Amino acid sequence: LRALSVEEVARYPRGEGGEQLVANFLQIAPEQVLLTNGMDDGLAHLFAAYLGANDELLFADPTFVMYPMLGEACGAKIVRLQSGEELALPVAEFLQRISPRTRVIAIANPNNPTGLVAARSDLLRIVEAAPEAAVLIDEAYFEFCGETLIADLEHDPNLFVARTFSKAYGLAGLRLGVLTGAAEQIGYMRRFCPP
């Protein structure tokens, strides 16, 4: 940060260089990466792109508090699926509840606040059961479990994976988030993102 010039501080940043670095690290194409002003900003863009009045947002309680807040801001119907006694992801309930009105499914993996990790196979079953919905796998705490769905982006155009630099990297004050997905979907969201 100390090496930044006055010109670099005075101008709006260009994301391409950072997106290329992140893409290289994640081993995906730069067109599949959108750097955002914190992960909450990335979630807001995704929800705004997919959710409108009377669309459904599905998630399991307890989980990250921003999901219902952002869904309500978009006018969506909030569908809370109750986690079981062990607080594991209620996969069967997700599969039963998906409907044509389901436009976003949000799953934190590992979950926040429980720390529980859902099986990759279960997550992919949900992704494949909802081809018309955006399925967000929020990997804010990925570094604490090491299992990711990033490699599945090329097979599932409705899959989005979010990451943050706030947790394991300890850079919350920089407000840097990463949203990954199919190049076409990320390109669409890039059009209405601020600098």
Side-chain angles (χ1 to χ4, degrees), residues 10-183:
R11 292 182 182 266
Y12 286 113
R14 295 185 54 93
E16 293 87 353
E19 288 171 349
Q20 180 68 59
L21 290 169
V22 171
N24 291 347
F25 179 75
L26 297 176
Q27 300 179 342
I28 59 177
E31 297 79 25
Q32 293 179 275
V33 175
L34 180 65
L35 291 182
T36 59
N37 297 317
M39 198 170 75
D40 292 350
D41 183 53
L43 299 179
H45 289 310
L46 178 67
F47 284 29
Y50 274 86
L51 289 174
N54 300 316
D55 291 334
E56 291 181 348
L57 163 65
L58 270 63
F59 61 91
D61 255 346
T63 196
F64 187 42
V65 297
M66 289 301 293
Y67 302 155
M69 290 172 61
L70 293 169
E72 288 169 0
C74 294
K77 178 181 178 192
I78 306 303
V79 179
R80 297 172 190 262
L81 304 176
Q82 195 58 48
S83 296
E85 196 172 303
E86 302 291 319
L87 298 178
L89 187 71
V91 177
E93 287 80 357
F94 270 105
L95 297 174
Q96 289 173 346
R97 191 58 181 83
I98 293 168
S99 77
R101 292 180 55 198
T102 304
R103 300 301 297 141
V104 175
I105 298 171
I107 300 171
N109 197 50
N111 190 28
N112 171 7
T114 66
L116 297 176
V117 178
R120 182 177 174 278
S121 59
D122 287 337
L123 295 172
L124 290 174
R125 284 175 58 203
I126 294 169
V127 170
E128 291 161 9
E132 300 301 315
V135 181
L136 168 72
I137 306 301
D138 177 346
E139 294 184 354
Y141 294 93
F142 153 78
E143 289 84 1
F144 301 101
C145 79
E147 190 162 308
T148 181
L149 263 61
I150 294 258
D152 297 286
L153 293 173
E154 65 182 83
H155 307 298
D156 296 297
N158 63 322
L159 173 63
F160 294 85
V161 177
R163 295 275 184 91
T164 181
F165 285 84
S166 297
K167 310 303 184 219
Y169 294 97
L171 299 173
L174 291 184
R175 303 307 306 141
L176 186 58
V178 179
L179 185 64
T180 65

